Amino acid sequence: MADQIYYIKQSDINDNNILFNYIYPNLEHNYYFSDDLSPAFYIELAHKGFITVSQSFEEKFILLPEIQLEYAVLDFKDLHVSKKVKQLINNNSDYIFSIDDDIEHTVDQLNRYHNDCWLDDSYKKILFNIIEFDHQTIDFELLCCKITDKSTKEIVAAEIGYKIGSTYTSLSGFSSKEKRYNNYGKLQMTLLAKYLEEKNFDFWNLGHPYMDYKLNLGAKVLKREDFLQRWLKSVDKTTYSFKGSGLPKRKP
């Protein structure tokens, strides 16, 4: 990430000249910042390929949208299921796998497991506002994926993410560190991948590719340009032309 972080606003990402000629090709910058906390801006950032986290700077809450240099992408045909996870799947009497929009409970669990989590109360408020917001042109939905212990009703592995069109993007997740729940984090991801494949999603965007567990799951690393070629086609199949090489060109 470059030392200087530029301010970004909604008009920037809706201006194809700025987006395609200055933001996407600029490999010196991946993070931007904004104090626009509106649901529309968050959703439109996600639609353009940004993954948005947050930070408090000089006691002010700001968003840090990132157009990453590389992305971990899982094509479901490449899903790797370990022997231990297969055993858990075959013996499914101990847990419940579910997908819902219980943002509050999931975020609270995330903050219990991660110290100084960027997904704090201010960010949680944005997510609540998004749930109540209906974007007129973008098919966006927040999702929570969970593994719950049947006997204790405790959530032992979960993640929060969002779907746009036929893509799914992970934001953050956790799994219990208790020994009896070994491999439940992998189980949650495996069952989610199978669910997404069953629902005909194109691929799973796992974000940063620097964690081994993503590659062990079967994800491949795509450079920004290669990722955007696939991403923009999947989230908006009729708007972009992919003739020739390089980044996709917006149709006039």
Side-chain angles (χ1 to χ4, degrees):
M1 183 175 68
D3 292 336
Q4 187 174 10
I5 301 180
Y6 292 113
Y7 185 80
I8 194 169
K9 54 188 183 295
Q10 194 164 0
S11 60
D12 294 331
I13 61 171
N14 290 330
D15 184 321
N16 292 321
N17 177 50
I18 293 175
L19 186 65
F20 283 87
N21 295 323
Y22 295 96
I23 294 178
Y24 284 165
N26 186 352
L27 300 181
E28 296 297 318
H29 291 86
N30 51 324
Y31 279 101
Y32 296 80
F33 80 95
S34 179
D35 54 2
D36 182 349
L37 309 183
S38 67
F41 184 48
Y42 185 100
I43 291 171
E44 287 166 25
L45 281 167
H47 182 258
K48 303 300 184 185
F50 289 83
I51 298 178
T52 300
V53 296
S54 67
Q55 182 176 322
S56 291
F57 179 73
E58 296 181 350
E59 300 184 353
K60 183 177 181 180
F61 175 80
I62 59 172
L63 294 181
L64 292 175
E66 182 185 11
I67 190 75
Q68 295 176 188
L69 300 176
E70 295 179 322
Y71 295 77
V73 170
L74 177 67
D75 289 305
F76 305 113
K77 63 180 178 58
D78 297 326
L79 175 66
H80 174 72
V81 184
S82 69
K83 290 182 179 179
K84 292 182 178 179
V85 171
K86 286 179 181 178
Q87 290 172 353
L88 289 172
I89 292 174
N90 291 333
N91 182 25
N92 63 0
S93 60
D94 298 331
Y95 63 85
I96 299 170
F97 171 74
S98 61
I99 295 179
D100 55 38
D101 61 355
D102 183 8
I103 299 298
E104 182 165 18
H105 197 188
T106 309
V107 171
D108 289 345
Q109 291 288 321
L110 280 165
N111 281 292
R112 281 181 54 200
Y113 280 87
H114 298 300
N115 294 326
D116 301 320
C117 183
W118 54 266
L119 218 164
D120 61 9
D121 287 342
S122 296
Y123 198 101
K124 183 166 67 172
K125 184 177 180 181
I126 295 174
L127 298 182
F128 285 147
N129 291 337
I130 288 173
I131 290 176
E132 301 298 325
F133 182 79
D134 182 19
H135 200 287
Q136 296 301 304
T137 59
I138 298 174
D139 175 24
F140 182 99
E141 183 180 358
L142 289 168
L143 298 174
C144 300
C145 174
K146 305 171 188 173
I147 297 288
T148 304
D149 185 313
K150 270 188 178 179
S151 60
T152 66
K153 309 304 180 185
E154 178 187 3
I155 299 174
V156 296
E159 75 166 67
I160 185 171
Y162 53 79
K163 71 173 288 286
I164 305 179
S166 55
T167 67
Y168 172 76
T169 298
S170 294
L171 282 175
S172 185
F174 74 91
S175 61
S176 173
K177 296 180 176 62
E178 291 188 41
K179 187 175 181 180
R180 59 178 171 157
Y181 297 125
N182 283 351
N183 296 300
Y184 271 63
K186 296 176 183 177
L187 172 66
Q188 176 259 310
M189 298 185 72
T190 299
L191 292 178
L192 174 56
K194 290 180 175 294
Y195 169 86
L196 295 173
E197 181 178 27
E198 180 184 324
K199 297 300 182 182
N200 295 315
F201 280 68
D202 287 347
F203 59 85
W204 178 356
N205 172 19
L206 288 102
H208 286 137
Y210 314 122
M211 297 83 161
D212 288 341
Y213 73 85
K214 299 179 182 181
L215 304 182
N216 293 338
L217 190 68
K220 300 294 191 295
V221 180
L222 298 184
K223 298 291 186 183
R224 181 191 292 177
E225 179 178 315
D226 296 328
F227 171 79
L228 288 172
Q229 285 277 356
R230 294 193 61 185
W231 176 261
L232 296 175
K233 185 177 181 180
S234 288
V235 297
D236 194 351
K237 296 180 185 298
T238 62
T239 308
Y240 294 89
S241 171
F242 291 82
K243 294 180 180 178
S245 59
L247 288 168
K249 305 299 183 184
R250 181 80 183 231
K251 289 182 179 179

